Amino acid sequence: QVQLVESGGGLVQAGGSLRLSCAASIRTFSSYTMGWFRQAPGQEREFVAGISWSGGRTAYADSVKGRSTISRDNAKNTVYLQMNSLKPEDTGVYYCAANRLGPVVLTTTRVDYWGQGTQVTVSS
């Protein structure tokens, strides 16, 4: 059974940083595009960042570009999202996502597996 388990969320002041982690129990992890989405209250889930199976290609939403870095460690079956210069509008539940052999710009309809989410709250 595939599981994606996020960690690293929390409450942080504006301007601060957080590093989210997602541990995946996928036997063929290195064949999956991995990504992060977020969902604010009352809003749709949106793409934040994606990374190819090898880590050689990445993609970011305009809202986080230049402030966030996605990375992965295939030996540890883990993907990370480093977020800096956080803003109150970054607040939401952050979800890890996996799509086998998918494009780095993931869409909600092309995700094979979702994590349970981790809350990120940025105070002003």
Side-chain angles (χ1 to χ4, degrees):
Q1 182 178 353
V2 172
Q3 281 191 312
L4 304 178
V5 180
E6 302 98 333
S7 61
L11 173 64
V12 63
Q13 288 188 332
S17 298
L18 281 175
R19 189 195 195 204
L20 306 184
S21 298
C22 171
S25 63
I26 302 176
R27 192 165 58 90
T28 55
F29 178 76
S30 60
S31 66
Y32 279 77
T33 295
M34 300 297 295
W36 291 92
F37 288 74
R38 68 185 180 192
Q39 188 166 19
Q43 297 190 18
E44 294 186 351
R45 194 169 297 188
E46 63 176 359
F47 172 78
V48 175
I51 188 166
S52 63
W53 63 273
S54 68
R57 289 178 289 119
T58 58
Y60 299 91
D62 288 342
S63 57
V64 303
K65 196 172 294 182
R67 301 187 295 120
S68 297
T69 302
I70 188 170
S71 61
R72 66 189 294 160
D73 184 339
N74 286 347
K76 296 182 178 180
N77 279 24
T78 302
V79 62
Y80 307 95
L81 182 67
Q82 176 69 43
M83 301 188 294
N84 302 320
S85 302
L86 284 162
K87 306 175 182 179
E89 50 263 44
D90 292 318
T91 294
V93 178
Y94 282 68
Y95 296 91
C96 180
N99 177 229
R100 188 170 184 275
L101 302 177
V104 289
V105 181
L106 292 171
T107 59
T108 55
T109 57
R110 295 198 61 175
V111 170
D112 296 319
Y113 304 106
W114 292 101
Q116 83 288 349
T118 185
Q119 177 70 44
V120 171
T121 303
V122 184
S123 63
S124 56

